[in-house]
């Protein structure tokens, strides 16, 4: 979380005191208003606010018709939720290497495509844009859908287009660790009417037919789904958070650019598919060896400055995706995608060393997390700690 204050408190109080904060209401309609505001922010036709980024990913895949018998390519470096979302639909996650930016490699993605491949999920990890041009060239001729995982990338862009808005659909997260937060929350956006209608039904299957006019103009038949609906309390907070986003990102980018300039002569800055479009939350330094990376991290830690070596980030690294690597996709065996007859022969021969490029890059990278509220003194302390290495 970056910034929060009285405005969010006032919005919550207003919503609570209305005594009318179920999503379908005749008062503030905060969820609907935020969805409209987010559509304008990212330039999409449809938006659905829900409980989490995971919920948005699952709902997006369901909207695309993904299910048993299908493969979905995911990067080796992303939070485990990306892969688990694929399993939730009954499909098999296929793990591909990253490129030098630590986002999904278009080349390895192309190598992993089979007749079963129905979707690809590029992840804009740490707010760094994926190679959407390269992935588009791989996927479009084959009719493969792109679901952007922009859960760590709200506010970023690729070639001037908001991240999450380039592919067939985009998923965002608004949990505590994101640029905008309501503690928890997620959003699915798309221009595809079929994806939207299916997502609407799936994300609120038990209430969608019974409250308000949600089904007006919907042609997709109702089907069993889940319940990822949120209340107007979430919408009220996020409407105020959205107003803060331009200022947060401006301050992040200002500091990131200053660090890039100051540190660039001494350190190698990891490449980016769009340096100006990334969110500015992180500066990635790249080293020749893991030992050098860890020595820098230890050096800055001794000066009170924390750097992250991403190979150590637990469930963000595929080797630590226990449920996936051990192929336990569900509790009940008949619900487990890895045991489904439709998935027999799918690419699921996971090994710890199958994405060596990613593991090597993760071990030779150090992340500086940027705080938009750093003062000049803070900035100097961080720069001095790094430059004294």
């Amino acid at each position: 979380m970056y910034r929060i204050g009285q405005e969010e408190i006032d919005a919550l109080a207003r919503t609570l005191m209305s005594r009318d904060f179920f999503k379908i209401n005749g008062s503030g309609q905060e969820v609907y208003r935020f969805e409209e505001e987010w559509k304008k922010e990212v330039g999409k036709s449809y938006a659905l606010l829900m409980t989490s980024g995971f919920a948005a990913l699952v709902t997006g895949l369901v909207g695309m018709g993904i299910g048993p018998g299908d493969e979905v390519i995911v990067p080796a470096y992303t939070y485990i939720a990306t892969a688990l979302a694929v399993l939730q639909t009954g499909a098999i996650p296929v793990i591909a290497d990253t490129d030098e930016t630590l986002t999904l490699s278009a080349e390895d993605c192309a190598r992993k495509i089979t007749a079963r491949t129905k979707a690809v999920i590029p992840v804009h990890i740490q707010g760094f844009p994926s190679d959407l041009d390269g992935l588009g060239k791989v996927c479009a001729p084959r009719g493969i859908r792109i679901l952007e995982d922009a859960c760590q990338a709200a506010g970023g862009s690729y070639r001037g287009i908001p991240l999450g808005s380039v592919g067939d659909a985009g998923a965002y997260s608004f949990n505590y660790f994101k640029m905008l937060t309501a503690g928890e929350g997620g959003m699915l956006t798309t221009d595809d009417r079929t994806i939207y209608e299916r997502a609407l039904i799936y994300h609120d299957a038990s209430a969608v037919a019974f409250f308000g006019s949600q089904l007006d103009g919907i042609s997709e038949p109702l089907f069993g789904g889940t319940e990822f609906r949120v209340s107007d309390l979430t919408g009220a907070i996020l409407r105020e958070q959205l107003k803060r986003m331009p200022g947060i990102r401006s301050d992040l980018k200002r500091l990131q650019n200053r660090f890039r300039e100051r540190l660039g002569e001494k350190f190698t800055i990891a490449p980016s598919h769009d340096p100006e479009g990334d969110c500015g939350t992180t500066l990635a330094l790249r080293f020749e060896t893991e030992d050098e990376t860890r020595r820098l991290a230890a050096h800055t830690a001794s000066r009170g400055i924390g750097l992250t070596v991403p190979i150590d980030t637990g469930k963000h690294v595929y080797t630590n995706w226990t449920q996936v690597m051990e192929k336990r996709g569900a509790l009940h065996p008949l619900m487990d995608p890895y045991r489904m007859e439709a998935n027999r022969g799918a690419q699921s021969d996971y090994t710890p060393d199958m994405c060596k490029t990613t593991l090597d890059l993760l071990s030779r990278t150090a992340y500086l997390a940027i705080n938009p509220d750093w003062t000049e003194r803070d900035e100097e302390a961080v720069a001095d700690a790094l430059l004294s290495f």
Side-chain angles (χ1 to χ4, degrees), residues 211-226:
F211 294 97
S213 55
Q214 297 181 85
L215 291 179
D216 286 359
I218 300 299
S219 59
E220 286 286 315
L222 293 180
F223 57 90
T226 186

Side-chain angles (χ1 to χ4, degrees), residues 29 60 80 86 95 99 102 158 160 201 219 304 331 335 364 388:
Q29 297 192 330
I80 188 174
V86 178
I95 304 171
D99 60 24
L102 283 171
Y158 181 79
I201 295 166
S219 59
L331 177 62
M335 299 292 287
R364 295 190 293 108
S388 64

Side-chain angles (χ1 to χ4, degrees), residues 328-364:
R328 291 194 301 275
L331 177 62
H332 196 290
L334 295 181
M335 299 292 287
D336 187 344
Y338 293 112
R339 302 188 185 191
M340 291 178 180
E341 182 63 29
N343 290 325
R344 185 183 296 275
Q347 299 181 82
S348 61
D349 294 329
Y350 310 129
T351 62
D353 63 349
M354 65 184 174
C355 292
K356 294 180 181 179
T357 297
T358 300
L359 297 178
D360 174 58
L361 290 168
L362 289 170
S363 69
R364 295 190 293 108

Side-chain angles (χ1 to χ4, degrees), residues 35-355:
E35 288 173 344
E36 290 299 316
E37 291 161 359
W38 191 257
K39 285 192 291 186
K40 292 178 182 178
E41 180 70 28
V42 300
K44 304 307 285 183
S45 301
Y46 307 106
L48 288 169
L49 182 61
M50 54 192 78
T51 54
S52 66
F54 170 79
L57 287 167
V58 175
T59 302
L61 291 169
V62 169
M64 293 175 177
I66 305 300
D70 297 334
E71 295 177 348
V72 178
I73 297 175
V74 303
Y77 175 48
T78 178
Y79 190 55
I80 188 174
T82 309
L84 293 183
V86 178
L87 290 172
Q88 188 70 21
T89 69
I92 297 296
V94 175
I95 304 171
D97 248 322
T98 62
D99 60 24
E100 288 283 330
T101 71
L102 283 171
T103 64
L104 182 61
S105 164
E107 290 185 5
D108 199 43
C109 180
R111 285 191 287 268
K112 299 291 174 65
I113 288 174
T114 71
R116 293 175 178 265
T117 308
K118 296 299 186 294
V120 169
I121 306 181
V123 181
H124 309 306
I125 195 81
Q126 299 290 138
F128 299 136
S130 298
D131 181 11
L132 294 173
D133 284 339
L135 291 167
K137 291 175 182 177
V138 169
C139 295
R142 299 171 170 86
I144 296 171
R145 298 281 204 165
I146 292 180
L147 172 58
E148 289 180 70
D149 182 336
C151 289
Q152 296 186 13
S157 62
Y158 181 79
R159 308 287 190 260
I161 302 173
L163 293 176
S165 298
V166 180
D168 296 284
Y172 303 86
S173 171
F174 303 123
N175 75 17
Y176 178 78
F177 302 100
K178 303 307 193 296
M179 190 179 297
L180 277 70
T181 184
E184 291 288 357
M187 179 74 85
L188 179 74
T189 60
T190 186
D191 280 331
D192 188 302
R193 180 71 185 182
T194 299
I195 292 175
Y196 165 71
E197 290 193 10
R198 292 171 175 172
L200 173 69
I201 295 166
Y202 180 79
H203 99 289
D204 191 16
S206 63
V208 69
F210 305 107
F211 294 97
S213 55
Q214 297 181 85
L215 291 179
D216 286 359
I218 300 299
S219 59
E220 286 286 315
L222 293 180
F223 57 90
T226 186
E227 194 163 295
F228 293 145
R229 185 182 64 250
V230 295
S231 79
D232 258 12
L233 300 177
T234 298
I237 296 173
L238 287 171
R239 292 188 68 202
E240 296 303 322
Q241 284 278 290
L242 182 56
K243 297 173 186 176
R244 297 183 187 275
M245 188 168 73
I248 293 172
R249 184 166 187 273
S250 176
D251 288 336
L252 286 168
K253 290 301 294 183
R254 173 179 54 80
L255 286 164
Q256 186 197 53
N257 288 334
R258 285 171 64 88
F259 280 117
R260 190 188 300 275
E261 182 178 345
R262 296 185 67 176
L263 303 177
E265 293 185 7
K266 184 178 179 68
F267 299 103
T268 298
I269 310 298
S272 171
H273 290 298
D274 187 344
E276 289 307 308
D278 86 52
C279 291
T281 59
T282 307
L283 185 69
L285 307 178
R286 181 67 44 74
F287 297 89
E288 291 295 323
T289 66
E290 180 176 359
D291 178 67
E292 187 180 9
T293 310
R294 295 199 178 279
R295 284 193 293 109
L296 174 65
H299 171 79
T300 55
S302 71
R303 291 169 170 256
I305 306 299
L307 294 181
T308 300
V309 180
I311 193 70
D312 298 332
T313 52
K315 296 298 184 184
H316 288 83
V317 184
Y318 77 93
T319 52
N320 298 314
W321 298 349
T322 306
Q323 307 95 304
V324 177
M325 297 298 287
E326 297 181 3
K327 293 194 280 191
R328 291 194 301 275
L331 177 62
H332 196 290
L334 295 181
M335 299 292 287
D336 187 344
Y338 293 112
R339 302 188 185 191
M340 291 178 180
E341 182 63 29
N343 290 325
R344 185 183 296 275
Q347 299 181 82
S348 61
D349 294 329
Y350 310 129
T351 62
D353 63 349
M354 65 184 174
C355 292

